[in-house]
Amino acid sequence: MKKFFFITFFIFIISCGEVEFVYKEDKNLINPLYGKTEVNTSGYNINFINSYLPMFFGKNKDDHFNLSIKIEQNKTKSSVETNQAASKIRYELKFIYILVLNEKNCVTFNKESISYFSIIPKSAGYNYGTDSSLDKKYQLAITENLNRFVSLITDKDLNNCL
């Protein structure tokens, strides 16, 4: 019985020799701008973006980069009733990211990213359900767009100018 146990244990140890961990290289886990970036927003004012920026970029300690985020919004009525009331509204949020390397005073990354979402208003007047749903969709669009931006810059060399 002891021989069987040792043989099984030996085979188990040998079979685990080539195990590779998924997060062996953590370059995709780290935001290269975290703690090094002064972030400025302009354009369409979305209240939620200022609360989400510290989660993505942290507190500026090194002042190595300057990131400018310009937001433009376009609202389109995609479905209109006979009385001209909108039954479906499509929102397009365009985020324009410009990253400047402070020590060389040059642009190292410039990208436009667009997020879309639609909402169906429930009444012509004030409706708490529609307003809270719209707020939630703005939050989702912002986090999705910021995540997309961070994933784009992880593979870029940010110390060279364009």
Side-chain angles (χ1 to χ4, degrees), residues 1 3 13 21-22 27 34 42 49 52 58-59 61 65 67 74 77 80 84 87 95 104 110 121 124 127 140 146 152:
M1 185 68 178
K3 283 186 178 182
I13 295 294
F21 294 101
V22 176
K27 74 176 192 173
Y34 193 84
S42 64
I49 196 160
Y52 284 105
K59 191 173 184 178
K61 296 175 186 171
F65 295 102
L67 176 63
N74 187 13
K77 296 178 183 178
V80 180
Q84 297 301 310
S87 61
F95 293 78
K104 294 182 181 178
N110 188 355
N127 186 338
L140 290 172
L146 288 171
L152 283 172

Side-chain angles (χ1 to χ4, degrees), residues 70-129:
K70 183 178 179 186
I71 304 167
E72 297 175 359
Q73 176 178 302
N74 187 13
K75 250 194 276 191
T76 308
K77 296 178 183 178
S78 58
S79 180
V80 180
E81 300 291 328
T82 56
N83 64 353
Q84 297 301 310
S87 61
K88 188 173 186 181
I89 302 172
R90 184 172 188 250
Y91 289 82
E92 175 185 297
L93 294 174
K94 183 192 295 186
F95 293 78
I96 302 168
Y97 297 99
I98 300 172
L99 184 66
V100 175
L101 179 62
N102 288 339
E103 67 184 35
K104 294 182 181 178
N105 197 21
C106 64
V107 175
T108 61
F109 188 80
N110 188 355
K111 182 76 175 171
E112 286 184 10
S113 181
I114 299 175
S115 293
Y116 301 98
F117 64 89
S118 296
I119 191 147
I120 301 170
K122 298 296 180 193
S123 70
Y126 183 77
N127 186 338
Y128 177 75

Side-chain angles (χ1 to χ4, degrees):
M1 185 68 178
K2 285 185 177 183
K3 283 186 178 182
F4 179 72
F5 174 74
F6 285 120
I7 291 173
T8 307
F9 183 71
F10 182 72
I11 291 173
F12 177 74
I13 295 294
I14 288 179
S15 67
C16 293
E18 295 297 318
V19 173
E20 290 188 28
F21 294 101
V22 176
Y23 295 121
K24 182 177 176 183
E25 295 179 21
D26 60 351
K27 74 176 192 173
N28 291 331
L29 298 176
I30 297 174
N31 180 355
L33 300 179
Y34 193 84
K36 303 177 192 175
T37 308
E38 178 69 32
V39 182
N40 300 311
T41 60
S42 64
Y44 184 73
N45 186 17
I46 301 174
N47 298 331
F48 308 110
I49 196 160
N50 292 328
S51 62
Y52 284 105
L53 290 175
M55 287 189 319
F56 285 92
F57 302 108
K59 191 173 184 178
N60 185 13
K61 296 175 186 171
D62 296 341
D63 202 31
H64 194 65
F65 295 102
N66 191 358
L67 176 63
S68 173
I69 304 173
K70 183 178 179 186
I71 304 167
E72 297 175 359
Q73 176 178 302
N74 187 13
K75 250 194 276 191
T76 308
K77 296 178 183 178
S78 58
S79 180
V80 180
E81 300 291 328
T82 56
N83 64 353
Q84 297 301 310
S87 61
K88 188 173 186 181
I89 302 172
R90 184 172 188 250
Y91 289 82
E92 175 185 297
L93 294 174
K94 183 192 295 186
F95 293 78
I96 302 168
Y97 297 99
I98 300 172
L99 184 66
V100 175
L101 179 62
N102 288 339
E103 67 184 35
K104 294 182 181 178
N105 197 21
C106 64
V107 175
T108 61
F109 188 80
N110 188 355
K111 182 76 175 171
E112 286 184 10
S113 181
I114 299 175
S115 293
Y116 301 98
F117 64 89
S118 296
I119 191 147
I120 301 170
K122 298 296 180 193
S123 70
Y126 183 77
N127 186 338
Y128 177 75
T130 301
D131 291 343
S132 64
S133 175
L134 181 62
D135 290 346
K136 190 56 136 174
K137 293 209 178 191
Y138 270 119
Q139 291 175 7
L140 290 172
I142 289 168
T143 55
E144 179 262 334
N145 208 296
L146 288 171
N147 278 324
R148 192 179 325 147
F149 170 72
V150 170
S151 68
L152 283 172
I153 61 169
T154 54
D155 296 333
K156 302 286 183 189
D157 182 17
L158 300 176
N159 292 319
N160 292 328
C161 301
L162 291 179

